Amino acid sequence: MNLGRHSITSTTPVHIFDARFDPDCQIFTTSTPAGFAVYRTSPLKLLRKRELKGGTLIAVVPFHTSNILFLVGGGRSPLYPPNKVVFWDDALGAEVAELEFRERVRGIACRRGWLAVALRRRVVVFQVGEQVTRYAEWDTCDNPKGKYVHIEKEIDPSAPVHAGLLAMATAAYSTLLTIAGRQLGHVQLVHLPPCAPPVPIGPHISSSPPRPPPPPAKHPVSIIAAHETALTTLSVPASGRLLATTSSRGTLVRVWDSLSGKLVREFRRGTDKADIYGVAFRPDEQELCVWSDKGTVHVFTLVASGPSNRQSTFSPLTPFLPLPKYFDSEWSYAQYRIPSQSSHITLSAPVSRSPTEDVPDEERCVVGWINVALSDESAQGGAPEYQLVALTYVGGWYRLSLPQHRSSRSSSLANPVPSSSARTPTTRHRLSSASSVTGRDKGKEKEQEKEGKESRDCVLQEFRRFGRWDGWG
């Protein structure tokens, strides 16, 4: 019996154009070639799915807890012109308004009652209520690499990818809006009217609403010279008290005080150049995470208590010796390498792709913080714990817990100096037993290095794969 030759070929990859969390990371949205969907972050659940025909979207931005979503068309066959922001009422399942500009929309940020739209050389702010009114606009430096350029990279693989240069504080009574400055590497800090507190839902509570914070004693700064090269990301926590910036070099993350403009901390992601996709503050502002095109999520601490960031063994000598700044750098205390989710291997010749076919970026992802209530007895009676949720653009949903550190001592970085230079001197043994002692010491050192490396890795608690028909449903 003669059977035809069969081969295992790669399947068509899942393609997610855009994924983003709302400011509180309670929900997230995804846009795919079939439409868009809204999910609850954790526990993961599909809340709403809309199949749209006639084109694709590159951004679906939730307007906090309302039914409004901001849609931006793009890709090879955009559903809406790329120079429009469409207001979609999901309760009605229809468009209710739109904003049209003379150029392509580069990025969007919103808070309760406000919307900011980034264009190539300016940022326009609107007040959103029963009517949409134009509030003001500010000029910026040239921003050819907007937030949705990753879609252009799929059309032109040589196109660089950078994040949108605007961020907005979303907590009650917060005022901060950060945008690119007029000069390269500068940040403008704009203070809008205070954000209105959320309207309580449910039975009326007799307790008085929270009072707005007192005005700052000094006038806040308006310009920060953050980097010498072009900015790639701007991130602020909900309160707007801090600001995180990254540049096109992709090696450093700088954290600033938004009122005084002073540098608070400087973290090193790595030594090689990278495209940093985003930075996210923990809700209590004690830690932040960074992710890039290297496919690794790095976690840094901002406080002295708890786990400490890694540093070089030469760092204590920097006040006394003129060592390069590299040796005084702070490295992440925890990290997680997102596994590659390439299509199935092929046993035959590679599958030829159409030149117009969309190819997803396997390293691209977005990360957010969630608060998980632990039920086990070892979690101090069900105390909440902050964890990470990572969404990849090839359909991976990861829930990660941070490593548990036994002590808050700073662990040494192995790369800057050999491990032998940091070894504590021991008593000299006789020559006959030196080889056996050295062998045992090396074995212990390898075990300690392995344990230290494993203790720095975040723990994968849950993984969900994006289904071709039901998504993450």
Side-chain angles (χ1 to χ4, degrees):
M1 183 171 62
N2 187 14
L3 297 177
R5 179 182 178 184
H6 296 272
S7 61
I8 302 176
T9 57
S10 60
T11 59
T12 305
V14 174
H15 193 180
I16 298 176
F17 284 118
D18 185 68
R20 66 181 62 233
F21 296 96
D22 74 324
D24 300 326
C25 285
Q26 299 290 330
I27 62 173
F28 67 90
T29 58
T30 60
S31 57
T32 65
F36 70 87
V38 182
Y39 295 87
R40 184 175 62 194
T41 305
S42 181
L44 182 61
K45 180 181 179 181
L46 176 64
L47 300 179
R48 184 64 60 88
K49 183 179 179 181
R50 294 284 184 181
E51 294 184 358
L52 304 177
K53 298 181 180 179
T56 56
L57 302 170
I58 59 169
V60 180
V61 183
F63 191 39
H64 288 268
T65 55
S66 67
N67 295 320
I68 300 297
L69 299 168
F70 300 118
L71 309 182
V72 180
R76 302 180 186 276
S77 178
L79 181 63
Y80 304 108
N83 64 326
K84 287 185 178 182
V85 177
V86 176
F87 292 55
W88 175 276
D89 190 332
D90 204 51
L92 302 177
E95 309 158 11
V96 293
E98 67 178 28
L99 297 173
E100 184 175 1
F101 304 92
R102 295 182 179 179
E103 55 183 309
R104 182 169 60 87
V105 174
R106 310 272 171 168
I108 289 179
C110 63
R111 73 178 198 192
R112 196 174 294 103
W114 295 82
L115 170 67
V117 180
L119 305 175
R120 179 155 185 166
R121 293 184 179 88
R122 60 195 175 107
V123 172
V124 188
V125 176
F126 299 87
Q127 195 166 4
V128 181
E130 295 182 358
Q131 295 182 347
V132 180
T133 58
R134 188 189 191 99
Y135 177 76
E137 68 176 65
W138 290 267
D139 295 331
T140 66
C141 63
D142 189 27
N143 179 26
K145 307 176 183 68
K147 194 174 187 65
Y148 311 127
V149 179
H150 63 273
I151 300 300
E152 295 180 359
K153 184 176 181 181
E154 293 159 7
I155 300 174
D156 179 12
S158 63
V161 175
H162 292 290
L165 298 181
L166 79 166
M168 186 179 290
T170 58
Y173 305 112
S174 61
T175 62
L176 184 63
L177 167 67
T178 59
I179 60 178
R182 296 184 181 182
Q183 298 184 25
L184 191 70
H186 287 203
V187 183
Q188 294 186 63
L189 291 87
V190 179
H191 288 273
L192 303 173
C195 181
V199 178
I201 301 176
H204 178 70
I205 302 176
S206 58
S207 60
S208 60
R211 296 181 179 180
K218 296 182 180 180
H219 192 276
V221 297
S222 58
I223 297 291
I224 294 178
H227 298 270
E228 297 179 356
T229 55
L231 298 171
T232 53
T233 65
L234 296 175
S235 304
V236 297
S239 66
R241 294 186 303 165
L242 300 174
L243 164 66
T245 62
T246 61
S247 70
S248 56
R249 292 180 181 176
T251 56
L252 298 177
V253 180
R254 290 173 177 162
V255 181
W256 310 83
D257 187 303
S258 62
L259 293 178
S260 64
K262 295 181 179 180
L263 180 64
V264 178
R265 301 290 287 271
E266 182 179 271
F267 303 123
R268 181 171 291 276
R269 180 211 57 84
T271 56
D272 54 342
K273 185 176 180 180
D275 284 315
I276 294 181
Y277 291 145
V279 179
F281 285 91
R282 209 170 83 172
D284 60 0
E285 302 177 11
Q286 293 191 10
E287 293 180 342
L288 61 81
C289 64
V290 183
W291 60 98
S292 67
D293 63 342
K294 301 299 182 180
T296 304
V297 181
H298 297 269
V299 183
F300 301 87
T301 181
L302 292 167
V303 296
S305 61
S308 299
N309 299 320
R310 293 179 296 142
Q311 286 187 301
S312 167
T313 51
F314 283 154
S315 59
L317 303 179
T318 52
F320 311 102
L321 297 177
L323 296 176
K325 193 176 180 181
Y326 170 86
F327 292 101
D328 197 28
S329 300
E330 292 188 63
W331 301 69
S332 61
Y333 85 88
Q335 62 184 29
Y336 183 78
R337 173 68 182 177
I338 297 178
S340 176
Q341 297 184 26
S342 301
S343 304
H344 301 300
I345 60 173
T346 176
L347 302 182
S348 60
V351 179
S352 59
R353 297 186 182 275
S354 170
T356 60
E357 182 179 354
D358 292 327
V359 180
D361 189 349
E362 291 189 1
E363 302 294 346
R364 190 166 184 86
C365 65
V366 60
V367 184
W369 292 89
I370 59 173
N371 201 344
V372 178
L374 301 180
S375 58
D376 57 332
E377 296 179 357
S378 62
Q380 299 179 358
E385 173 189 329
Y386 285 104
Q387 296 183 355
L388 297 172
V389 169
L391 310 172
T392 65
Y393 281 52
V394 290
W397 180 91
Y398 300 81
R399 182 168 64 87
L400 310 172
S401 63
L402 301 176
Q404 300 295 328
H405 290 260
R406 297 181 180 178
S407 63
S408 60
R409 294 182 58 188
S410 170
S411 59
S412 299
L413 184 67
N415 293 335
V417 292
S419 58
S420 60
S421 64
R423 194 178 305 163
T424 304
T426 57
T427 305
R428 188 183 300 273
H429 295 271
R430 290 182 302 176
L431 183 61
S432 59
S433 61
S435 59
S436 60
V437 173
T438 304
R440 287 196 299 267
D441 290 345
K442 288 183 178 180
K444 291 181 180 178
E445 287 177 3
K446 289 182 179 180
E447 291 180 0
Q448 291 176 357
E449 289 179 1
K450 184 177 180 180
E451 291 178 358
K453 185 176 180 180
E454 291 177 352
S455 66
R456 294 195 300 268
D457 292 337
C458 296
V459 181
L460 178 62
Q461 298 292 339
E462 188 179 359
F463 170 77
R464 297 283 291 275
R465 180 74 176 176
F466 191 92
R468 199 166 303 279
W469 297 103
D470 59 347
W472 278 302

